Amino acid sequence: MEKIRITAKEVTNKLGLTSLIYKEGRREVANIAYPAPAKYQDIPGILKGYRAGVNLTSASGFCWDTHDTIDTPKKTVEEYLTKVYYNKEVVIIYK
């Protein structure tokens, strides 16, 4: 069985928003957006929980609901990746 190696790494952008990015090689396949910092919490539409998202194409993707902890989004992304690569063994390495 072929192994697919996916690395997951936390990244913080210049606004202070943090995400856990899943990459296969150089291609981003999924991400988990973390809650926005406290200074952004008063703005309507700002993320107040953890949300998993996947990249379907280079221009579009799909996101699930927000959750209070990171455990459910991590499980959702891992299940999604094992279904996408159904004939391969998926190894996720957290850095």
Side-chain angles (χ1 to χ4, degrees):
M1 182 181 292
E2 183 183 351
K3 285 187 179 182
I4 298 294
R5 181 179 163 184
I6 296 177
T7 56
K9 182 179 178 184
E10 280 190 11
V11 177
T12 304
N13 68 12
K14 55 187 167 186
L15 294 176
L17 302 174
T18 305
S19 299
L20 181 62
I21 307 293
Y22 292 82
K23 288 187 174 185
E24 178 193 358
R26 297 182 69 177
R27 183 173 69 102
E28 183 180 323
V29 291
N31 65 59
I32 297 175
Y34 288 32
K39 64 182 177 180
Y40 297 117
Q41 290 291 329
D42 295 337
I43 301 170
I46 289 295
L47 191 61
K48 293 178 175 57
Y50 295 91
R51 180 178 63 206
V54 294
N55 296 336
L56 300 176
T57 67
S58 62
S60 70
F62 180 80
C63 292
W64 285 272
D65 292 335
T66 58
H67 299 278
D68 294 333
T69 65
I70 196 169
D71 298 331
T72 305
K74 268 188 179 180
K75 184 178 175 186
T76 303
V77 168
E78 290 172 4
E79 287 176 0
Y80 171 80
L81 292 174
T82 55
K83 289 178 183 175
V84 167
Y85 302 106
Y86 59 92
N87 275 343
K88 300 171 181 150
E89 181 182 351
V90 177
V91 179
I92 299 175
I93 301 164
Y94 290 93
K95 292 186 175 185

